[in-house]
Amino acid sequence: MLTLNKTLGVLCRLPKWQIRGFLRSFTFRPGKQFLHKLVLGIETSCDDTAAAVMDETGNILGEAIHSQTEVHLKTGGIIPSVAQQLHRENIEKIVKKTLCASGVTPNELSAIATTVKPGLALSLGVGLEYSLQLVNQYKKPFIPVHHMEAHALTIRITNKVDFPFLVLLVSGGHCLLAIVQGISDFLLLGKSLDIAPGDMLDKVARRLSLIKHPAYSTMSGGKAIEHLAKQGNRLHFDFQHPLHYCRNCDFSFSGLQTAVDKIITQKEKEEGIEEGQILSCAADIAAAVQHTVASHIAKRTHRAILFCQQRGFLTPSNAILVVSGGVASNLYIRRTLEIVTRATNCVLLCPPVKLCTDNGIMIA
């Protein structure tokens, strides 16, 4: 079984000419003349096969993505071996579609950038293996990319954001707060001590059997919870806020998930329904869970902002909170964070929803 260490170990065995190519300025091969350097970005860290071509000024020349969401909804969660096989089946066509859309040939690329960590080892391995084939075939410099750094810097595609700034990364696999002091220069303030918020919301959605509800059957778990919560009353259930007495910027979501599971089991017995059927109070549970997650994230972020302001990391002229990652597309969570930034005289910036989830653009 492929491990992440084995995957990353391939990088250490790159020929010296590739390492030199990565360190020195990019050069062009004979052919069509482009005014700017061109980079192909490839992303396969989890369950989306994505690629994009961008120039050094930030122009997106072409992109393509294949989502595995529908397949994993049927299996009740992401199965690494299944994700790996789907990446293998789709990566070549996605890259070719991207190059075709951009009007760029592999020879005209200046470099190839690929996610190498963190993520599912089996999924990462597919993207890395395919990228190194292109690197060897076309003699291009290779740029290894950290997935979370890419999410953190995505905002600089759409907004002029100077360093330093505070970033909150919330997704299905991660939850962290960090000060971005420069490219690949991050000061970690807090992270999830157990599971990620997106993972927890997905599990709650499965526990509520939302996939059996026609209105939510094609949505990811987190998106289903967000839509269902609009119909519910969050005050009908009161979940304890995680890490309430901990004076730090860390997160925790596993205890909340356990509490939700207990409530669902209790309500199933009260309503006399079997596991798998949809509770009459499902919307209220979804609303309460979403509110608790949003409040927990907001409180830890508020603490991080105050710390940054006290230590001079965020100045009045450059007090910016960037929120990115898949969970950042949740509008309820965004509105909760807006309350925090207004109270602390900060500016809240989020990439477009399309760029919050995994994509090839952020890697390029």
Side-chain angles (χ1 to χ4, degrees):
M1 180 176 178
L2 180 64
T3 64
L4 182 55
N5 287 335
K6 288 182 180 179
T7 302
L8 298 179
V10 178
L11 294 176
C12 301
R13 298 193 295 272
L14 287 175
K16 290 183 179 179
W17 66 263
Q18 290 178 10
I19 298 174
R20 289 197 301 269
F22 168 63
L23 295 175
R24 67 174 180 255
S25 299
F26 303 146
T27 56
F28 286 96
R29 307 290 175 182
K32 194 186 307 178
Q33 294 299 307
F34 288 92
L35 296 176
H36 302 288
K37 300 167 188 175
L38 307 174
V39 176
L40 169 66
I42 296 176
E43 155 66 18
T44 63
S45 66
C46 190
D47 60 339
D48 288 322
T49 310
V53 172
M54 294 182 67
D55 67 22
E56 62 185 324
T57 67
N59 290 323
I60 304 167
L61 304 183
E63 62 168 318
I65 186 168
H66 174 268
S67 174
Q68 303 177 6
T69 300
E70 196 170 322
V71 172
H72 296 305
L73 280 174
K74 294 177 181 177
T75 58
I78 298 174
I79 301 174
S81 59
V82 173
Q84 178 191 43
Q85 183 58 36
L86 291 172
H87 281 306
R88 283 176 174 165
E89 292 173 3
N90 290 284
I91 189 166
E92 184 171 9
K93 67 179 75 170
I94 287 298
V95 171
K96 286 184 176 179
K97 185 176 179 180
T98 297
L99 292 172
C100 182
S102 66
V104 174
T105 67
N107 277 321
E108 292 161 342
L109 293 170
S110 305
I112 296 171
T114 305
T115 304
V116 296
K117 65 177 181 180
L120 298 177
L122 295 178
S123 294
L124 287 166
V126 175
L128 182 57
E129 181 181 10
Y130 185 81
S131 298
L132 293 182
Q133 288 176 5
L134 293 178
V135 165
N136 288 321
Q137 182 177 354
Y138 297 101
K139 302 297 184 288
K140 299 297 177 183
F142 178 77
I143 304 175
V145 176
H146 189 290
H147 181 80
M148 301 311 291
E149 290 183 6
H151 270 305
L153 298 172
T154 296
I155 192 66
R156 287 163 59 87
I157 297 174
T158 57
N159 299 76
K160 187 180 184 304
V161 181
D162 296 324
F163 301 117
F165 61 87
L166 179 65
V167 66
L168 167 66
L169 300 179
V170 278
S171 68
H174 303 277
C175 185
L176 62 87
L177 280 160
I179 301 169
V180 186
Q181 301 179 115
I183 305 297
S184 297
D185 185 3
F186 291 71
L187 177 61
L188 183 66
L189 299 182
K191 59 183 177 59
S192 177
L193 301 177
D194 35 65
I195 62 176
D199 183 29
M200 194 222 72
L201 291 172
D202 285 345
K203 288 176 178 176
V204 172
R206 287 199 294 273
R207 188 65 184 84
L208 288 172
S209 302
L210 297 188
I211 193 172
K212 297 184 179 180
H213 194 297
Y216 311 113
S217 60
T218 60
M219 295 181 183
S220 66
K223 185 60 66 176
I225 290 291
E226 181 181 4
H227 280 258
L228 181 61
K230 295 175 183 178
Q231 305 171 28
N233 184 343
R234 66 176 180 81
L235 298 177
H236 284 178
F237 293 96
D238 184 21
F239 295 113
Q240 183 175 353
H241 286 223
L243 303 180
H244 183 65
Y245 297 105
C246 296
R247 298 174 63 84
N248 56 38
C249 296
D250 288 329
F251 304 86
S252 175
F253 300 95
S254 62
L256 176 58
Q257 182 192 329
T258 300
V260 175
D261 285 344
K262 289 181 179 178
I263 285 291
I264 294 174
T265 300
Q266 176 187 328
K267 290 299 176 182
E268 285 173 343
K269 292 178 180 178
E270 290 178 4
E271 295 187 14
I273 66 173
E274 297 179 359
E275 184 176 338
Q277 294 180 306
I278 297 176
L279 290 167
S280 62
C281 58
D284 294 336
I285 293 175
V289 170
Q290 178 178 252
H291 177 74
T292 306
V293 169
S295 297
H296 179 46
I297 290 173
K299 287 180 179 179
R300 313 314 272 185
T301 303
H302 181 236
R303 181 183 294 275
I305 291 174
L306 294 180
F307 170 82
C308 290
Q309 290 176 334
Q310 291 169 359
R311 298 299 179 93
F313 289 112
L314 296 182
T315 62
S317 61
N318 189 41
I320 295 175
L321 170 66
V322 171
V323 183
S324 190
V327 177
S329 62
N330 183 300
L331 297 182
Y332 186 90
I333 292 176
R334 283 198 189 192
R335 287 195 296 269
T336 306
L337 290 167
E338 285 174 1
I339 297 173
V340 173
T341 52
R342 282 199 302 268
T344 52
N345 297 314
C346 286
V347 176
L348 175 64
L349 295 178
C350 301
V353 172
K354 171 185 174 182
L355 295 181
C356 282
T357 53
D358 295 347
N359 60 86
I361 295 171
M362 69 180 190
I363 305 303

